[in-house]
Amino acid sequence: MAQVYNDLLKKTKEQIRETNPVQTDEFLRKNRQARLLDVREKNEWDDGFVPGATHIPRGFLESRVEEAVPDKETPVVVYCAGGVRSAFAAKTLQEMGYTDVVSLAGGYGAWKNAGLPTIKPQTLTKEQQSRYSRHLLVPEVGEAGQLKLLASKILLIGAGGLGAPAAFYLAAAGVGTLGIIDNDLVEESNLQRQIIHTVDRVGQYKADSAAKSIAALNPDIKVNVYKERLTADNIERILPEYDLIVDGTDNFETRYLVNDFAVKYRKTVIHASILSFNGQLTTLTPYEGPCYRCIYPDPPPAAMAPNCSEAGVLGVLPGIIGLLQTNEAMKTILGIGETLAGRFLLFDALETEFTELKLRRDPNCVACGEHADIDDLLEQHKRGDVLIPACRIA
Ligand SMILES: [Zn+2]
């Protein structure tokens, strides 16, 4: 048997042309129209491939190559792992009428050994396939969507009522990097609604406590902990790092600060606030929908805004609103569905009633309007000239 095979391989190699990795690399650089075909199996491809290669496993070569390379005059380089399968593939391609075919001698192994560049395709590990299987079953998410989530970075401002459920579910869903900024400590009175914290962590930083719960739930997630208050001095170090912001802050000062820097860096902010039985949220996408200043050009007087530690809230309300924020965040990352950009959603927990208001951009907005000078606005923040009462509304 082996003798027949050896003779066949020898005969095949006499009928085709072979090239070495360095020659191939030069040839592909000079001949941009040339095509590189990888005829290995999927598991081999998943371990790494040559940049620019098209993957057609040897068993599918005859049926798929004409679609991938319609012009038979196109120069084609074929490779496999060691140069044997590609030799047979090159002969087949010649028989199919391809006029300029070479096989890479030594295959992918020789290419790698020559120190030439390779790419490892992004795929989910076995463990990830199992953990996120219910996402993989939804066509709108699928493996590509899960990889997007894993590659995304979301900043949570506050690990309190809204931030706690949001962080928990974003971590469970596999959002790869979560930034959590909060300089408060866990108090007993937080546990009525801030479910990411536990009794034994009372007195610890909320950001640390949230990171511990996330690590226990999904060790895949990278958590960046910021035990500081967000200010004009540190926001440019933190905010630009992230794709999206989930705003769970409880004061106007931080909201205007976040808004203005988010407009500058074009980051979507999922805004929400809660009070007793009422919640509200919207998605603020700079220059596509209104920003926070389009909706609230001026902050209300301090006396009008109760402090959350004084005002009560039904324990489940931040859970409901925080998860609606999470839903907005996930859709925005995945690029699916309709977000709340341009829509203001109000929720009345007593009546179990949702109301929606239309929102428009304000052409006179000082942050995103026609004559806005966003850089000047940021300078005002840095100088401490943006006078906003440090009142709290949630
Ligand atoms: Zn605006």
Side-chain angles (χ1 to χ4, degrees), residues 259 263 289-295 361-362 364-369:
N259 179 73
V263 168
C291 79
Y292 189 68
R293 282 188 192 271
C294 293
I295 311 168
R361 285 183 64 194
D362 176 2
N364 297 314
C365 172
V366 295
C368 77

Side-chain angles (χ1 to χ4, degrees), residues 35-146:
R35 295 294 299 275
L36 182 64
L37 296 186
D38 184 325
V39 295
R40 298 174 303 159
E41 299 305 309
K42 186 180 182 298
N43 61 320
E44 299 175 282
W45 167 268
D46 286 347
D47 277 342
F49 57 87
V50 177
T54 301
H55 182 220
I56 307 179
R58 177 67 189 89
F60 296 96
L61 184 67
E62 292 87 339
S63 58
R64 292 189 189 163
V65 70
E66 285 178 293
E67 198 181 323
V69 189
D71 181 1
K72 301 261 181 359
E73 313 277 304
T74 305
V76 179
V77 181
V78 197
Y79 75 89
C80 61
V84 173
R85 278 172 289 173
S86 63
F88 289 114
K91 180 147 183 284
T92 300
L93 290 173
Q94 287 176 2
E95 286 165 1
M96 290 180 74
Y98 288 89
T99 58
D100 187 1
V101 185
V102 289
S103 165
L104 176 62
Y108 184 71
W111 178 274
K112 251 175 102 174
N113 289 340
L116 292 164
T118 60
I119 295 177
K120 198 167 161 57
Q122 268 203 320
T123 51
L124 297 174
T125 63
K126 280 236 148 48
E127 204 215 25
Q128 288 171 329
Q129 282 175 10
S130 162
R131 175 182 284 272
Y132 305 118
S133 64
R134 294 305 183 276
H135 268 167
L136 304 184
L137 290 168
V138 182
E140 288 81 356
V141 184
E143 182 167 13
Q146 190 62 55

